[in-house]
Amino acid sequence: MRLCRLLFLSLLTLVLPARAVAQAPKPRPNRFRQDSTLLRIRRLQDARATAPLLGFLRHPNPAYRAEAADAFASVQAFVARGPLEQLLATDPVPTVRRAAARALGLVADTLAQPAVLAAAKTERDPRARATTLEALGRLATVHGGGLRYLADETLPLDAVERAGWAWGLARAGQRGVVTDAAVARAVQLLQADQPPAVRLAAAHFLSRTPRLDLTAHGSALLTALRTDSLRDVRIALAGSLGRVASPAAAAATLNLLRGAPDAHVRTAALRAAAKLRYEQVKEAVWGALADADPLVALSAAEYFLANAPADEAAAMFRHRGSRHPDPQTQATLLATALKLSAKQADVVQGIIQDISTRLREAPTDTRKSFWLRALGQNPAGYEIIAREIFVAPLRPAVASAGLEALVMLRGRADFPEARRPVFAAALRQAVETGDVALVGIAAGALRDPALKLKADFADFEFLSAARQRLVVPRDVETAQELDQTIAYFDGKPVPAPYRPSPSELAAQLAAHPTDWKRVVKLPVGQLATVATSRGTFTLELLVEQAPAAAASFAGLAERKFYDNTLFHRVVPNFVAQGGDPRGDGWGGLDYTLRSELADESFSTGAVGLASAGLNTESCQWFVMHCPAPHLDGRYTLFARVREGQNVVDALRVGDIIEKVRLK
């Protein structure tokens, strides 16, 4: 009997894996592998070849017309406005009209508003109309009819169209295009009987539209916040409470801060608390320093650093900071103590000593950067900071944090006048190092009108010399900073953000063409695991939506480029960002990618490429904690978290990306 059982178990171990393999879905080839014409259109998009793309807008195959129209959402060439308007008005296929509407919204030529408004009124396909309404919000002006239509017309019964209506309002609000009627419509769309996508869009309109006073709608907002079943809606609405000036809103903010079960809602309540009187929220925020979620505790510490009044007791922050278990929160609390003790020389020296000891004992450059920024709260820390910046060889995270701290000191009202020449010399030295971070930070400080630094420099030829040493597109972010600063010193208008010219794009493409061989090999649903010092999460690459970005990420992963790099930036309720070979946010590759602005939204778990503007993407990537629809159509979204969002939410600055592997 025992022998039979052993034989049975042996057979079972052979059979079960075979069944598992047989049941596993086969990877599906992506559409570019299956259709060479679609691949050609995407390659034309990558090359920004507008003339042949315009030709495809007239192709007899509607799939190719739609693909070409969608390409112009990324290319964003004004020359496409007329042909896209023609498609929107006359094409018989809804998917083509939908692609044309979306492209017109992202091209952002407001001259297209009348055509898009006309289409919004006549479109009969629900999905195409929803996209057209959203595009109308991207183009609407207060007096052009688009916003009035979104705010006043009778809402459709169809849930898809209604979601497009709500997102149209949200897109207009992001641009600051708003009326009282639009606000009232958004509040109406918060009601519990509205579809989830509608409520989410309305909540983001109310929380992100600049300079809204929502006091008149406080009761409706509080009801929605209390009853809505969607966490993402509650997060957005919690953040909007600071726009409601009422005792009920203040009480709701404090209740959320103390008792909301979701850490993201508690963080949003902290943001709203910044709009209330300090005395109202001090106790609740103090309690949040002990929150089980370290990012909530950090947000509480940042609240005190920004809002604690000058007569607040520095000693309690010093005491709490010395004992807090989280290094970044600890540094923020000691920074608050240092800031508040400005007029107590003996106390200042004690805190400076505390911080300098921790700086000296910090085990990593990331930890050192926390303490350097803390020293930026009092001029007494100047010498300690200055000693750390230019130590050879430069350590990027330390040097950039130190220079940021010096700039912070220079902006203080109590910065010693006698130190002005020393500070000016430090800025010049930073520029002359040629280090992209130090040059960029110094350039930003030099043109800050509040610092009034022009008088401290007899000449500024060193800026032009530094600009000549930069290599664009690799150093595009630093080049932008220098170009604006040189214009400021010359007394010329500050140039617009960098946008590669057609010739520069052609040069970029020649220097680093997209790896299309890799693109066609990547299957739909390609997974990548990201092992970090905090845990592992899994991404699904969106090869059909962002093929060039997906292929670049896959290639860098196979080269082990990301192994042992850091998450250098974590913003609670927003993103965790990594992939920088320098580790300070200023690093990149010798090439850049062209933007791929697919029909995807930055919801929770979306993964995008960092950039310094259109067509400047490189190797840095970020993962969303919460929805951020204001990023839609502005950043390349190339992957989504499929497993391990809890790991993403737990990431902290300085956590290590141990390895990224395709699977």
Side-chain angles (χ1 to χ4, degrees), residues 31 41-42 45 56-57 62-74 80-81 83-89 91 93-107 116 123 125 127-132 135 138 597-599:
R31 61 198 181 102
I41 294 171
R42 191 53 72 108
Q45 173 189 316
F56 271 106
L57 293 179
Y64 301 152
R65 295 199 302 276
E67 189 75 13
D70 195 60
F72 278 109
S74 297
R81 178 172 63 84
L84 289 170
E85 289 178 342
Q86 183 70 18
L87 282 184
L88 182 62
D91 199 282
V93 180
T95 55
V96 179
R97 299 195 300 273
R98 183 168 180 262
R102 180 173 171 273
L104 284 167
L106 291 185
V107 170
V116 176
E123 180 61 64
D125 179 81
R127 291 193 71 204
R129 191 177 189 215
T131 301
T132 304
R138 294 186 183 277
L597 307 178
D599 189 10

Side-chain angles (χ1 to χ4, degrees), residues 146-498:
L147 185 64
R148 187 166 58 251
Y149 182 76
L150 291 169
D152 296 339
E153 286 297 310
T154 302
L155 289 168
L157 295 176
D158 182 85
V160 172
E161 290 182 56
R162 194 168 286 207
W165 212 289
W167 283 114
L169 284 172
R171 301 307 182 195
Q174 288 168 15
R175 299 165 48 236
V177 178
V178 63
T179 60
D180 290 343
V183 175
R185 169 59 57 87
V187 172
Q188 176 190 1
L189 293 174
L190 273 182
Q191 294 174 3
D193 60 348
Q194 298 292 343
V198 172
R199 304 198 310 273
L200 181 63
H204 276 278
F205 171 89
L206 295 168
S207 65
R208 292 191 177 276
T209 299
R211 298 178 296 280
L212 283 189
D213 182 347
L214 299 176
T215 303
H217 304 284
S219 177
L221 263 65
L222 289 171
T223 298
L225 179 60
R226 186 174 60 254
T227 61
D228 203 290
S229 60
L230 286 181
R231 183 199 77 154
D232 290 342
V233 172
R234 296 196 304 275
I235 291 170
L237 290 178
S240 72
L241 285 177
R243 300 172 171 215
V244 179
S246 74
T253 300
L254 296 179
N255 288 337
L256 290 174
L257 184 53
R258 291 181 175 123
D262 189 280
H264 293 298
V265 176
R266 298 197 298 276
T267 300
L270 272 167
R271 304 276 166 80
K275 303 292 185 181
L276 301 175
R277 288 185 299 107
Y278 180 79
E279 294 77 12
Q280 284 180 284
V281 300
K282 171 185 171 180
E283 182 181 346
V285 179
W286 189 260
L289 290 171
D291 198 282
D293 188 291
L295 290 178
V296 177
L298 175 61
S299 297
E302 290 172 341
Y303 168 86
F304 283 119
L305 180 59
N307 297 286
D311 59 353
E312 185 64 279
M316 66 180 187
F317 293 103
R318 182 181 181 184
H319 177 80
R320 189 68 177 267
S322 298
R323 289 161 177 75
H324 201 282
D326 175 66
Q328 191 174 7
T329 303
Q330 187 181 86
T332 306
L333 289 169
L334 285 176
T336 305
L338 189 58
K339 179 182 178 181
L340 295 175
S341 59
K343 297 180 180 179
Q344 306 169 56
D346 55 336
V347 177
V348 165
Q349 287 306 316
I351 300 172
I352 292 283
Q353 184 60 46
D354 287 351
I355 294 175
S356 60
T357 298
R358 288 170 170 78
L359 174 65
R360 189 168 55 252
E361 296 174 352
T364 66
D365 284 355
T366 298
R367 297 276 182 92
K368 287 182 181 293
S369 72
F370 297 159
W371 297 114
L372 285 169
R373 290 190 174 95
L375 287 169
Q377 293 299 324
N378 192 290
Y382 188 99
E383 295 292 348
I384 300 171
I385 297 169
R387 284 198 299 268
E388 294 286 340
I389 297 174
F390 301 110
V391 174
L394 284 176
R395 293 167 296 164
V398 173
S400 56
L403 190 58
E404 288 171 355
L406 286 193
V407 173
M408 195 185 310
L409 287 178
R410 178 62 180 79
R412 291 178 58 90
D414 58 354
F415 186 80
E417 190 70 17
R419 284 196 183 275
R420 285 183 61 125
V422 178
F423 176 78
L427 285 188
R428 180 165 187 151
Q429 183 180 357
V431 171
E432 290 174 344
T433 64
D435 180 82
V436 289
L438 296 189
V439 174
I441 295 166
L446 284 164
R447 71 172 184 277
D448 184 345
L451 300 184
K452 300 178 181 177
L453 294 174
K454 272 188 179 182
D456 294 336
F457 294 89
D459 69 83
F460 51 93
E461 287 301 317
F462 68 99
L463 295 175
S464 299
R467 179 63 177 86
Q468 291 171 10
R469 291 193 295 270
L470 297 178
V471 178
V472 176
R474 183 193 67 195
D475 305 328
V476 58
E477 189 170 1
T478 303
Q480 287 186 110
E481 295 288 345
L482 268 178
D483 287 343
Q484 294 180 51
T485 300
I486 290 169
Y488 171 76
F489 271 73
D490 276 334
K492 296 177 180 178
V494 174
Y498 172 74

Side-chain angles (χ1 to χ4, degrees), residues 28 30 32 518-519 521-530 537-558 562 596 600 605-609 621 636-643 660-663:
R28 178 169 66 84
N30 68 62
F32 305 115
R518 186 185 298 276
V519 166
K521 290 179 180 177
L522 286 173
V524 173
Q526 173 69 61
L527 299 179
T529 58
V530 183
F537 57 94
T538 302
L539 306 179
E540 178 184 335
L541 304 187
L542 304 180
V543 62
E544 293 193 322
Q545 293 80 2
S552 176
F553 182 85
L556 291 171
E558 289 181 356
Y562 291 120
E596 297 174 295
E600 295 284 335
V607 187
L609 285 179
W621 48 277
T636 296
L637 195 165
F638 72 95
R640 291 191 182 278
V641 174
R642 288 298 172 235
E643 294 179 8
V660 179
R661 296 292 183 269
L662 302 184
K663 60 181 290 190

